[in-house]
Amino acid sequence: MIYNYMGNFPHESEEIKQKLTDCICETERWLELNGLKLNLSKSELICLGRKTKLDCVDLTKISIGDVEIHRLNVVRNLGVLFDEHLTFTQHVSKLVANSWYELKQFRLIIDSLPPEVSKTLVQAMINSKIDYCNSLLAKTPRTLTRRLQSVQNSAARLITHTRRREHIKPILKELHWLPVRSRIDFKIISIVDKCIRREAPDYLVDVIQLVRNVDRPTGLRSNVTCSLVTPRTHSVLGDRSFRVQGPKLWNTLPPDLRDKTSTRLSFLARLKTWFFVSSGAFD
């Protein structure tokens, strides 16, 4: 997927078309030099941003040679459906529909399976889909995550043979499953930990800054507790970005959990325990 960022959309659509065309042509040349080919016939175009900015963009298609690439409202990238306002409503709807179908099929054979096998299958069929790229759903409306939570609740009741009227939180605890919103936070914090250990890609590592590495007065508590700098933003989309949500969630962890001397496996185990015991995930 080719990304071309333009901070302030110009009102002239021709300027946008020219920038996108130049970017695609340059990418196509680079691919040819490296023995690869860009399939323009399968290429898609989408503009991302707030409605007020997108309304100023009069762009329906761009032409590269004999190929016309039309602008779409929703595109798929790595299995995720991106809409132009980054609400991910279509993505969640598709995910929920597929999950309900698989649960319906699984219900037909569950009585003939041992409990541990049932749990493993549901973990592979349902929870793995809920967890895939779930960090994109950070700070999205609760109406979206409630739909995913409903799927997880039904899966938990199915493999434990509990009725709908029974409270779901003890069942999730018994299965050692975090709720959906906590799973999103867990994923983001785990990525932040990789950034601090410099095991993540550079484009992620570069947006994570330790407070003690910034020009600030020494002796502050934040300088000795591995706190991160949280950038300020002026939009909802900005607040949802990794560079904001990552430090915010990381700074909510207790100081002993932020200790960088522990191994990554040990950190993840302690992090999940903290989510179950102290984070309020089941309040």
Side-chain angles (χ1 to χ4, degrees), residues 128-250:
S128 62
K129 289 183 173 62
I130 293 176
D131 290 341
Y132 179 70
C133 291
N134 61 350
S135 57
L136 294 171
L137 302 179
K139 298 294 286 184
T140 52
R142 288 186 177 272
T143 52
L144 286 183
T145 51
R146 283 198 195 104
R147 297 178 64 188
L148 295 174
Q149 188 62 58
S150 177
V151 171
Q152 188 189 48
N153 294 350
S154 295
R157 287 192 172 95
L158 181 61
I159 63 178
T160 55
H161 301 282
T162 52
R163 293 177 295 180
R164 186 178 180 85
R165 293 182 178 180
E166 297 186 38
H167 206 285
I168 191 61
K169 290 180 181 179
I171 301 173
L172 294 179
K173 279 189 174 182
E174 177 186 344
L175 294 171
H176 212 61
W177 289 1
L178 286 173
V180 170
R181 294 195 74 87
S182 295
R183 298 172 87 92
I184 294 172
D185 293 345
F186 180 91
K187 174 69 73 64
I188 294 174
I189 293 174
S190 68
I191 297 175
V192 172
D193 178 66
K194 291 189 72 172
C195 292
I196 294 175
R197 299 173 189 272
R198 306 196 72 81
E199 297 174 358
D202 290 340
Y203 67 89
L204 291 178
V205 174
D206 292 343
V207 301
I208 298 298
Q209 287 185 305
L210 290 168
V211 171
R212 62 169 172 259
N213 293 340
V214 181
D215 187 16
R216 293 190 177 185
T218 58
L220 296 178
R221 181 182 299 178
S222 56
N223 287 343
V224 295
T225 57
C226 199
S227 296
L228 301 178
V229 177
T230 304
R232 293 183 179 180
T233 60
H234 303 284
S235 66
V236 175
L237 284 179
D239 289 339
R240 286 172 49 191
S241 64
F242 174 72
R243 64 191 293 265
V244 175
Q245 279 302 304
K248 273 187 178 180
L249 292 172
W250 179 265

Side-chain angles (χ1 to χ4, degrees), residues 224-225 253-262 267 270 274:
V224 295
T225 57
L253 300 179
D256 62 314
L257 192 53
R258 284 180 267 162
D259 182 16
K260 293 198 301 180
T261 59
S262 62
F267 169 78
R270 292 165 58 204
W274 178 79

